[in-house]
Amino acid sequence: MRHVAVIGSGPAGYYSAEALQKELGEDVRIDIIDRLPVPYGLIRFGVAPDHQSIKAVSRRYEKVALSDNVRFVGNVMVGRDISIPELMELYDAVILATGAPLDRPLELPGSDLPGVIGSAAFVGWYNGHPDFADLDPPLGAEAAAIIGNGNVALDVARILAKTRKEFEGSDIVAHALDALEQSRIRTIHILGRRGPHQIAMTPKELGELGHLEDAAPNVDPADFPPEGDDALLEPGMRKSVTHLRDFAASNAAKRKTINFDFFAMPVAIEGDGKVERVIVERTMLDAELRSVGTGERYAIDCGLVVSCIGYKTPPIEGVPYEHGRGRFANSEGVIQDGLYCVGWARRGPTGTIGTNRPDGFEVAEKIAARFRDGTSAKFGRAGLDALLEGRGVDIVTFRDWQKIEAAEAARARAGSPREKFTHIDEMLDARGGAAG
Ligand code: NAP
């Protein structure tokens, strides 16, 4: 019997467990450890609440979680409750699937003003992440600026633009739904430092903006290169640019506007004790398609800035880390003998949920090859339980999570699959409360 610890219960963690089961069958015991009492990481806290079809992938992870040789060990924080060297003593292999939950810093003058919020915090707020449940973003001004031209920028713009009715069927948390309903934001600027041909948005997500009840997307036709150049784009990108051209051609006027501000590089954020404006420099592209400032500057008045410029993995003491790329230093998923990484912790924050699956399989193959000779002298889960019990750590099991989930479903408002608990104490209470 071999013992593997997977740190992180998001997509990369569960795909790794699934792959290990396929590679090693009954000869492996897998503990999936998470710092929160609830599983699924990015699926629960990152994927937009109105994208329930994407969130449904958690049912696939549930199948893995319910198999006999896989265990969820929630409410255990590596670095606080147990260290990596201790885990490596207890398990034959340790896989870091910790994702990339930290914002890449904006590093502009004024980016520390109240009202400048990173996407991890903002997305965490509307998704009920315990770290951000009390964020209370300022929604009282007429305009908001979103920095970045990726899918997260689109998520944030859409969430700011939707009506209460459009959130029906979603699992947005009540505190966000109520605050967004009271929001006075009418103009949402999406600032891209390059042009329409350089966006990192995908067509399906972009197309959604054309069908909002109360908001219309707007693009300045002057920002496009000649239409013939679209033929040179790869098909997905061409579709996205077609959406942008449709937005530019449309004269739909709705109560809210989502403005795509291209060739707009934020250079400073200003305000008296809080955000009041973003100073933007117009850019052009150089021969390598990088943005270069033109020296022309203008101000965009706004009371909220959400920076959606990418994420990084939190470093763990003693684990080699690539600061430039914000991920663990690794060679094809191997950090060192017995220590591996998968998903965004391995590759950096790119790709869709499914992109994490091959990572899991690649690392599982490497682990299986290493296990082929010899047997294990590790204590695995029995050793973990003894150590955590000695430290007074209150482990949350998958059965506990099922009770929490049932309690969330029981308090859901009409049309919503659940009403999430947003504080760790509430989650732990729900486990006890629903037990009887
Ligand atoms: P992303 O796709 O890497 O986009 C980051 C954006 O930030 C880029 O447009 C980049 O512009 C811009 N940027 C970076 N630094 C900047 C700076 N200093 N100033 C101004 N702009 C800056 O990241 P993301 O949107 O966080 O998404 C992360 C991953 O999750 C992506 O793979 C994404 O597709 C995925 N995701 C998917 C979905 C979905 O499928 N529904 C939803 C959300 C996220 P440059 O190109 O000029 O560097």
Side-chain angles (χ1 to χ4, degrees):
M1 179 60 63
R2 295 290 192 157
H3 304 279
V4 180
V6 178
I7 319 303
S9 68
Y14 272 106
Y15 285 130
S16 299
E18 187 183 26
L20 284 165
Q21 283 184 315
K22 288 219 166 96
E23 283 288 336
L24 294 158
E26 280 305 302
D27 296 333
V28 66
R29 292 278 171 276
I30 304 158
D31 279 352
I32 301 181
I33 298 172
D34 202 292
R35 77 179 179 98
L36 293 174
V38 293
Y40 306 140
L42 185 85
I43 301 297
R44 180 174 167 110
F45 295 117
V47 173
D50 56 343
H51 282 172
Q52 287 296 309
S53 58
I54 301 179
K55 290 196 183 230
V57 73
S58 62
R59 293 296 161 213
R60 176 186 179 137
Y61 307 152
E62 191 176 64
K63 266 198 196 141
V64 177
L66 289 171
S67 40
D68 286 343
N69 57 346
V70 175
R71 184 174 75 141
F72 173 71
V73 189
N75 206 28
V76 175
M77 188 162 166
V78 173
R80 180 192 65 194
D81 300 319
I82 189 162
S83 69
I84 292 289
E86 284 170 332
L87 284 167
M88 291 182 72
E89 272 294 310
L90 292 171
Y91 292 87
D92 296 290
V94 175
I95 303 176
L96 302 178
T98 46
L102 300 182
D103 283 305
R104 243 172 218 291
L106 191 55
E107 287 171 345
L108 292 182
S111 55
D112 54 349
L113 280 170
V116 183
I117 297 173
S119 54
F122 193 76
V123 169
W125 170 71
Y126 60 62
N127 262 328
H129 193 295
D131 288 354
F132 306 111
D134 301 321
L135 184 73
D136 195 17
L139 306 173
E142 277 275 307
I146 297 170
I147 300 175
N149 264 183
N151 278 333
V152 172
L154 283 181
D155 279 349
V156 170
R158 194 179 66 254
I159 297 296
L160 285 172
K162 276 194 165 180
T163 60
R164 189 175 186 102
K165 195 161 162 282
E166 286 175 292
F167 283 111
E168 271 175 21
S170 82
D171 68 344
I172 191 167
V173 290
H175 66 227
L177 189 60
D178 293 343
L180 289 165
E181 193 177 19
Q182 301 301 317
S183 165
R184 300 183 60 193
I185 294 169
R186 297 291 172 267
T187 308
I188 299 155
H189 296 271
I190 302 181
L191 308 182
R193 60 183 172 180
R194 299 192 288 158
H197 277 198
Q198 286 75 42
I199 54 171
M201 299 159 170
T202 44
K204 184 175 161 288
E205 285 63 30
L206 200 48
E208 281 180 74
L209 292 196
H211 304 284
L212 297 176
E213 191 180 309
D214 213 14
N218 181 43
V219 184
D220 182 346
D223 283 340
F224 289 99
E227 201 158 344
D229 292 4
D230 292 5
L232 304 171
L233 299 171
E234 62 84 20
M237 184 63 130
R238 203 179 318 136
K239 248 187 183 172
S240 293
V241 172
T242 302
H243 282 307
L244 290 173
R245 288 195 188 273
D246 290 347
F247 297 162
S250 159
N251 49 14
K254 296 189 181 172
R255 210 165 61 98
K256 296 179 188 173
T257 306
I258 301 172
N259 258 324
F260 284 84
D261 296 17
F262 289 113
F263 303 106
M265 176 157 63
V267 290
I269 298 168
E270 295 179 350
D272 188 5
K274 61 178 170 44
V275 174
E276 290 173 8
R277 70 197 78 84
V278 181
I279 308 300
V280 172
E281 180 167 359
R282 275 220 148 258
T283 63
M284 50 192 281
L285 297 179
D286 68 9
E288 272 83 48
L289 302 178
R290 289 174 304 210
S291 60
V292 185
T294 60
E296 183 194 336
R297 292 186 173 196
Y298 59 97
I300 295 176
D301 291 336
C302 58
L304 169 69
V305 174
V306 186
S307 140
C308 305
I309 61 168
Y311 298 111
K312 55 184 191 171
T313 295
I316 299 179
E317 210 188 317
V319 180
Y321 190 80
E322 265 182 60
H323 282 276
R325 305 181 75 164
R327 63 182 195 189
F328 295 117
N330 72 93
S331 169
E332 293 172 345
V334 181
I335 299 175
Q336 65 185 70
D337 200 29
L339 184 62
Y340 305 83
C341 56
V342 288
W344 284 9
R346 167 188 172 174
R347 290 179 285 107
T350 57
T352 60
I353 307 287
T355 318
N356 297 303
R357 200 162 171 262
D359 276 15
F361 277 87
E362 196 183 335
V363 159
E365 274 173 26
K366 289 191 165 107
I367 291 174
R370 198 170 142 260
F371 286 177
R372 220 151 273 148
D373 304 315
T375 53
S376 173
K378 303 283 187 175
F379 288 113
R381 58 178 62 164
L384 179 76
D385 289 354
L387 190 143
L388 292 177
E389 198 184 330
R391 291 179 183 170
V393 180
D394 181 13
I395 290 177
V396 172
T397 64
F398 202 79
R399 282 286 301 142
D400 292 332
W401 151 245
Q402 288 178 311
K403 290 174 195 161
I404 298 169
E405 191 181 31
E408 288 184 338
R411 43 181 232 140
R413 75 193 93 87
S416 147
R418 69 190 70 81
E419 182 58 53
K420 288 177 185 165
F421 295 108
T422 56
H423 290 82
I424 288 176
D425 288 351
E426 287 178 322
M427 295 170 186
L428 296 177
D429 284 354
R431 162 191 67 166

